[in-house]
Structures are given as structure tokens and as C-alpha cells.
Amino acid sequence: MKKQQNILIIGAGLCGSLLALRLGQRGYNVSVYEMRPDLRKVDISAGRSINLAFSNRGNKAMRLVGIEDKVKTLCIPMNGRMIHDKEGNTFLSNYSGRDHEYINSISRGGLNALLLDEAEKHENVSIYFNKKCKSVDFKKTTALFKDYETKSEFIEDADAIIATDGAGSAMRKSYYLAKKFLFSFSQDYLTHGYKELSILPTQTGDYKTYKNALHIWPRGSFMLIALPNLDGSFTVTLFLSYGDGTYNFNNLTTPEIVSEFFQKEFPDALELMPNLVEDFFNNPTAPLGTVKCSPWHYKGNTLLMGDSAHAIVPFYGQGMNASFEDVVEFDAVLDQNLENWEAVFKAYESTRKKDTDAIADLAIDNFHEMKDHVANPIFQEKRKLEMALEQNFPDEYSSKYSLVTFNERIGYHEAMTRGRAQDKAILNMIANKDISAVLNMTKNELKQALKKVQQETNDILEDDRIAGLKQ
């Protein structure tokens, strides 16, 4: 395929701007159309997550495009989860027993701006803002746009169109509505929504609570989390049912009820949030959904990538990382020098879809883990054992979380399959008292426990394979 080909990218968010940068580096002529204003000139956060969890799979993409060091300056390391109980007691649960494994809090806007700047350094990359895609004619490889400034509509064509326009993708909608080919689509919402709140910095610009952790207030059927920002603030997110429970988004309608809810459930957080009521009623309540669809491509004309192909709930901190990894995987397919775009799109989807389906399912699992299981004594015992195994045998054991988050060399599907089997093995062994209390174990006893876990895990994997559960 000639490098002079024209690629049209719909959406200049995190995935689209990274894709534009990489394709620009490879020599393609790239045009990017974004419906929002340029975030480098206008604040457009409007209640969206202003910071995100950035980890190894995302960093792999930054390494690919040569900006790893620039991105690092935007990061705040988070070594573990700081769990807050109702009495205000806290304990830190590290993400890994290996000191070099941690996740980062990163500014969505700061990272997006950096990617846009880097993409625009290439003369063959052009980015246009305030241009909303209304529909895509995937048979003609054209897209219809509306210019928000002139109010006019116009059509752009290209050799290939790639949509990175998020969970509400205009191109995915065109696939679905046109009924020109067999297109499967599912959109599943949780009964919970989320609302962005904040803990402001102290008057001297310091952090009001421990900086290097993801803070969680797990309360069974709902939770609060907080991630640090570079300016000393924390972005706080309340995950709560729309209609179930004593308190829910439908009945938190007055300042008094909101304050009562926080005083009862999150008293230590409330002390840090004199701005709570103002934030609560100024910021929108947004839904949490999972999108799966197939196929992602139409012949060699069009392709869905990132959230437009596989939007997930945020509870594994992998939404952005998965979209960045999409670009890495797509780039690897381009290295194969296949004969045309149809071959490229087909090869990319066949290798990638099983992994994006897996991280979508894992994110739902982690929702239940974060709001409930992290406070469960058996779960805490499991985490203690896993931490001890990772510390003492770093090359022989990785928890499911570590497999997903830190082992970027294996796909999400493999991480999920092995991780779930390990979890089942350890929980069974703790429940059956096959493993003694972790704190009293010698290194030799830990080694024996590791062998038991590995054997039990392999037995479960084999049972699943025989039952046809493992692909």
C-alpha cells in the first residue's frame, strides 16, 4: 500500500490523536475531524473524568511514538488502593508485591494536548475542530460533517476512514442503521451512574490526604474513589445506583440529603470537601455502559477503534490503556505489509477483539470487587497471600490484577483466563483452610503454598479446557 494514501480519522480524543501521530510518523496523509473545540484553547471537561489511570499497556504506546519521557512528567504514581472504612480508618493495599509495579494518575486534558501537539509536528497531519460527524457512507468511504462555526455541512472522502469517536460513535451508528451487512451490536448499562466531585488543595497548594494512592471508600452496593492531580487536588467520583438503596441518585435532590448521605457513609471524605454540595449539583450524573460490536470494519473502507469499537466501564482503569494498545496492535499489523486495507482491518480485528471483550468483562468484575470485596476478610487474606507470593517469588507468580495491568506482553484474554483460575484456586484454598495464615508463614511454607496454587490453577484451567470454556 502506498504511504501517500489519505486517512480520515473521526475524533481527536486520546485514541484518535495517538493514531494520528503514529500514522503521521509512518508517512500517511492524515486528516482528523473533532466535534469539540480545541481543548488546548478551551476548557471542555464539563463533568468528564479529568484524570485517568495510566499503566503499562498505555505506556507501551507512548514508547512506540517516542514520547514516554514527556508523558512521565504528567503522571502521579499510585502504589496501591487506600481503603477508607466508615469510621475513617485507612489501610493501604499495594497493587503488586513488586516495587516497580504501580499505576499512575494522569490528566486527560494534559495528555490529550500533548498528543495533539506531537501529531501536529508532522506536516502530513491536519486536525480540524468544531466539525461534527453526522454519518458515514462506508460503501463510498465518505463522511458527512457539520461545521459548528459556519453551520454548513460538507462531505470528506478518503482512502480509508478510521472512527475513534468514542462510545457514541457516528460511524458505528451508520453501520447499525444502514442494515447493509450483518452487524452485531450490544450496549449494556450498569444500574449505577457516576458523578464527578473534588477535594481541593490546601491554601498552600498541598494535598489534603495521602497523595500516592487511589483512594476507595467501599460501601457494598456503592463507593467513592479519589485520584490525585498535579495541582494538589483530587478528582473524586461517586458511583451510586440510580434508584436502589436508601440513598440513590434519584433521591439525592437537596443539599441537606446529600450532606446527610456523606456524613453517614463518608465522614472523613466530607471533612475534606467543603465544596461538596456545589460540586454535586453543578456536575452531571452520567451512565456507565459497555459496548461490544462486530465486525469493526467494512471491507477495506472503514474501521472502528478505541471506545467506538469497545467502550468499557472504568473499574479496571484500562479504558484509555486498551485504546492506546489498539494503536500498538494496529501498528504491528501494518508492519506485516499486507496487500490492502481490507487485509489489514481483518487481521487487526481477528487478533484484537477477544482481548477487548475480555477487558470489558474484567472491568465489570472489578466493579464488584472495588465496591464490596476489598472490604471482605477472605478477599483481604487472598490479597495478603498474593502480595507475599509476588514479593518472594516475583518471577513465578502474578496476581490477576498484575497480569492485566503490568504484563503488557500478554493479551487481556490470556490474563483474564489465568487470573480467574488463580482467584478461584486461592479462594477455595482459604475457604477450605488448605493454607495457613499468611503472616505466620516461613519462606519455605510460602513456596509450598505457591506450588499448591499453581497446581490447583492448572487443574481449573484443564477442567475449563475440557468443558470447552477456554478458547
Side-chain angles (χ1 to χ4, degrees):
M1 291 184 298
K2 297 189 297 291
K3 286 295 175 69
Q4 292 73 36
Q5 288 198 323
N6 298 311
I7 310 299
L8 171 60
I9 297 175
I10 303 169
L14 292 167
C15 185
S17 52
L18 172 65
L19 180 64
L21 169 56
R22 185 57 188 154
L23 291 179
Q25 289 174 339
R26 293 188 76 111
Y28 293 100
N29 294 321
V30 181
S31 297
V32 188
Y33 288 82
E34 167 59 48
M35 73 172 182
R36 294 169 298 178
D38 188 342
L39 57 75
R40 295 166 294 183
K41 301 172 183 174
V42 183
D43 177 19
I44 57 169
S45 58
R48 292 185 82 207
S49 299
I50 62 169
N51 57 7
L52 300 159
F54 177 73
S55 54
N56 295 38
R57 293 177 194 273
N59 195 54
K60 178 171 59 174
M62 301 304 103
R63 213 161 39 238
L64 174 69
V65 295
I67 59 171
E68 187 177 5
D69 290 341
K70 291 180 181 178
V71 171
K72 199 170 184 179
T73 63
L74 301 174
C75 291
I76 299 174
M78 298 185 294
N79 297 308
R81 298 166 170 169
M82 183 69 80
I83 312 296
H84 298 247
D85 69 15
K86 273 194 180 185
E87 285 67 51
N89 302 311
T90 60
F91 74 90
L92 182 65
S93 173
N94 279 7
Y95 283 121
S96 170
R98 290 172 283 267
D99 291 340
H100 65 280
E101 291 182 341
Y102 55 86
I103 64 174
N104 300 276
S105 177
I106 195 166
S107 160
R108 176 198 290 271
L111 180 55
N112 207 158
L114 172 63
L115 290 167
L116 290 169
D117 287 344
E118 293 293 323
E120 285 186 331
K121 288 179 180 178
H122 297 270
E123 288 184 2
N124 49 325
V125 176
S126 302
I127 305 174
Y128 306 95
F129 297 94
N130 296 301
K131 311 283 189 288
K132 177 182 172 59
C133 180
K134 296 190 71 179
S135 63
V136 175
D137 187 327
F138 45 84
K139 286 195 164 185
K140 294 181 179 176
T141 325
T142 61
L144 173 66
F145 291 92
K146 179 172 183 179
D147 187 318
Y148 279 151
E149 291 166 329
T150 66
K151 310 300 183 203
S152 61
E153 294 188 354
F154 61 96
I155 290 173
E156 287 291 324
D157 69 349
D159 294 304
I161 301 176
I162 303 178
T164 56
D165 52 343
S169 171
M171 188 157 87
R172 193 183 67 239
K173 187 177 179 183
S174 293
Y175 278 5
Y176 179 71
L177 292 178
K179 297 183 171 58
K180 300 289 187 188
F181 62 102
L182 296 175
F183 180 66
S184 299
F185 167 64
S186 70
Q187 182 170 284
D188 296 311
Y189 286 106
L190 294 179
T191 54
H192 287 56
Y194 75 96
K195 187 182 285 284
E196 296 285 349
L197 307 166
S198 61
I199 295 173
L200 300 176
T202 65
Q203 289 185 327
T204 56
D206 294 326
Y207 294 88
K208 287 182 179 175
T209 186
Y210 181 65
K211 171 185 174 183
N212 295 112
L214 188 154
H215 293 258
I216 306 182
W217 290 258
R219 296 295 181 264
S221 61
F222 55 91
M223 66 174 164
L224 196 69
I225 70 168
L227 277 73
N229 296 304
L230 290 171
D231 65 359
S233 68
F234 286 82
T235 301
V236 181
T237 310
L238 173 64
F239 296 99
L240 182 68
S241 172
Y242 280 104
D244 293 336
T246 306
Y247 298 97
N248 55 62
F249 278 127
N250 290 343
N251 67 24
L252 291 176
T253 54
T254 67
E256 292 76 22
I257 296 174
V258 171
S259 298
E260 174 191 298
F261 172 49
F262 271 72
Q263 184 61 59
K264 182 178 176 185
E265 298 291 347
F266 316 113
D268 59 328
L270 181 60
E271 285 181 27
L272 308 175
M273 301 169 69
N275 49 307
L276 167 66
V277 169
E278 183 183 351
D279 279 352
F280 194 93
F281 291 103
N282 283 344
N283 291 342
T285 304
L288 294 159
T290 300
V291 168
K292 293 180 182 179
C293 65
S294 68
W296 293 344
H297 67 285
Y298 177 78
K299 298 186 175 177
N301 298 2
T302 57
L303 175 70
L304 299 167
M305 190 180 289
D307 282 359
S308 67
H310 52 78
I312 63 175
V313 295
F315 303 107
Y316 231 108
Q318 287 294 307
M320 168 182 65
N321 294 290
S323 291
F324 283 171
E325 193 176 57
D326 283 357
V327 177
V328 176
E329 294 295 314
F330 186 70
D331 188 70
V333 175
L334 289 176
D335 283 342
Q336 296 173 23
N337 295 313
L338 301 174
E339 64 274 18
N340 54 38
W341 284 117
E342 183 168 11
V344 169
F345 294 168
K346 191 174 286 187
Y348 165 69
E349 183 172 347
S350 69
T351 59
R352 189 64 181 149
K353 181 160 170 53
K354 69 179 185 302
D355 286 327
T356 59
D357 283 353
I359 192 57
D361 295 343
L362 283 164
I364 298 289
D365 290 352
N366 223 38
F367 169 57
H368 301 295
E369 181 172 310
M370 290 173 73
K371 69 183 173 58
D372 189 9
H373 302 170
V374 289
N376 184 306
I378 289 184
F379 177 85
Q380 290 172 7
E381 189 67 22
K382 169 178 161 290
R383 284 299 296 152
K384 284 177 193 169
L385 175 60
E386 292 193 305
M387 289 293 294
L389 293 177
E390 288 185 334
Q391 283 167 350
N392 286 279
F393 312 105
D395 298 327
E396 296 179 65
Y397 185 81
S398 288
S399 69
K400 180 176 72 181
Y401 188 89
S402 289
L403 290 170
V404 170
T405 306
F406 305 123
N407 282 262
E408 72 270 23
R409 293 176 306 283
I410 68 171
Y412 286 124
H413 185 268
E414 183 183 341
M416 176 183 74
T417 305
R418 173 155 286 276
R420 283 178 169 174
Q422 283 179 180
D423 283 356
K424 187 175 179 181
I426 293 175
L427 289 169
N428 284 346
M429 292 164 77
I430 291 173
N432 296 335
K433 298 193 167 33
D434 292 340
I435 298 179
S436 56
V438 177
L439 294 177
N440 302 328
M441 281 190 189
T442 64
K443 180 150 185 178
N444 189 49
E445 287 172 327
L446 267 175
K447 181 71 174 176
Q448 294 307 309
L450 173 63
K451 286 182 178 177
K452 281 185 185 177
V453 170
Q454 290 173 329
Q455 182 59 53
E456 182 71 13
T457 298
N458 289 334
D459 289 347
I460 291 169
L461 288 170
E462 179 61 14
D463 288 347
D464 286 350
R465 187 190 66 78
I466 293 168
L469 298 176
K470 185 183 175 189
Q471 299 301 313

